[in-house]
């Protein structure tokens, strides 16, 4: 009897944890039609690397999957990877508190990034939404950048390897965002686009993010060849092919061209959006590796 009670208790705790993660984004938008849900639980432990993965003088990488233990908890499908360029400085850290856990990524001191990726998520489609919570540390970094991108893994592309995402053509990228830091309290937000033959970042605003506080981010991406719609807060939003919407703390972002931001053009239409990455680099002030980002509540929804 006692054994049955223990098993039941464990199953209830597991269900409660998974359900809490899935329900974290109950106020977020849903696509018209049925969705597949993918959640990344940072509460699980795998391997014997502990809760910290540090940079070294040589490049280092750790990959986790259901069959291969590594530093990161393994995702329910696909692979999770952390990589650090040679002499990048900083580390990756997992902090677990009861039913919540976060991943902290320190930005590297130079151009070779510290990088976190998840790739080859199952049951993906060309129409996808991604949700995550992010905050920055309290070191008041005065330079450095955090970059995130989403798209499709193919071969040994940017989502599957330790290469830093730069201005070069990166096959598989659907869209990218960059957060830049300076002496201001604001954080300058921009999106990846083709400019004069190379990829750079076009400004969105410097008011949506600050160096302090947690930010809730929602991305709705359409890599299909026809218009798609999602419903949020009782209102329907249309997304044209090769565009995406950005929501921050419950507000739809826009610039002088409207709320539809163009994809970078590095991913063929109708390709699956099944991967994402975060990287940090060029953090030198007020001291090396001063900039870090804390990530949690990572979820990807795809139209079935």
């Amino acid at each position: 009897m006692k054994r049955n009670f223990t098993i039941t208790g464990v199953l209830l705790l597991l269900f409660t944890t998974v359900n809490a993660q899935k329900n974290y984004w109950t106020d977020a938008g849903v696509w018209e039609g049925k969705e597949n849900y993918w959640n990344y639980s940072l509460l699980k432990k795998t391997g014997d690397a502990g809760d910290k993965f540090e940079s070294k003088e040589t490049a280092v990488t750790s990959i986790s999957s259901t069959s291969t233990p590594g530093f990161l908890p393994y995702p329910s499908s696909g692979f999770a990877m952390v990589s650090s360029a040679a002499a990048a400085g900083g580390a990756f850290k997992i902090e677990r508190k009861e039913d919540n856990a976060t991943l902290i990524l320190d930005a590297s001191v130079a151009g070779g990034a510290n990088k976190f990726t998840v790739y080859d998520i199952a049951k993906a489609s060309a129409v996808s939404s991604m949700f995550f919570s992010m905050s920055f540390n309290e070191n008041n970094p005065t330079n450095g950048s955090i970059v995130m991108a989403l798209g499709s893994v193919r071969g040994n592309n940017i989502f599957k390897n330790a290469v830093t995402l730069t201005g070069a053509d990166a096959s598989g990228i659907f869209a990218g965002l960059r957060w830049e830091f300076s002496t201001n309290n604001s954080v300058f937000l921009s999106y990846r686009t083709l400019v004069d033959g190379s990829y750079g970042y076009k400004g969105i605003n410097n008011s949506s993010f600050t160096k302090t506080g947690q930010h809730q981010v929602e991305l709705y991406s359409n890599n299909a060849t026809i218009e798609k719609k999602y419903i949020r807060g009782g209102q329907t939003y249309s997304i044209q092919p090769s565009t995406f919407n950005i929501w921050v703390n419950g507000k739809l972002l826009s610039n002088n061209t409207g709320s539809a931001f163009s994809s970078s053009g590095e991913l063929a239409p109708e390709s699956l959006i099944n991967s994402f990455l975060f990287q940090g680099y060029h953090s030198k002030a007020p001291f090396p590796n001063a900039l870090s980002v804390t990530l949690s509540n990572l979820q990807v929804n795809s139209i079935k």
Side-chain angles (χ1 to χ4, degrees), residues 120-128 150-154 157 159 172-174 223-224 267-275 302-303:
D120 208 16
I121 296 171
K123 297 181 180 180
S125 74
V127 183
S128 174
L150 68 163
S152 182
V153 66
R154 52 176 59 180
N157 76 351
F159 294 106
I173 296 288
F174 173 78
N223 195 41
L267 181 64
E270 294 292 347
S271 296
L272 304 180
I273 297 176
N274 63 7
S275 307
S302 303
I303 289 183

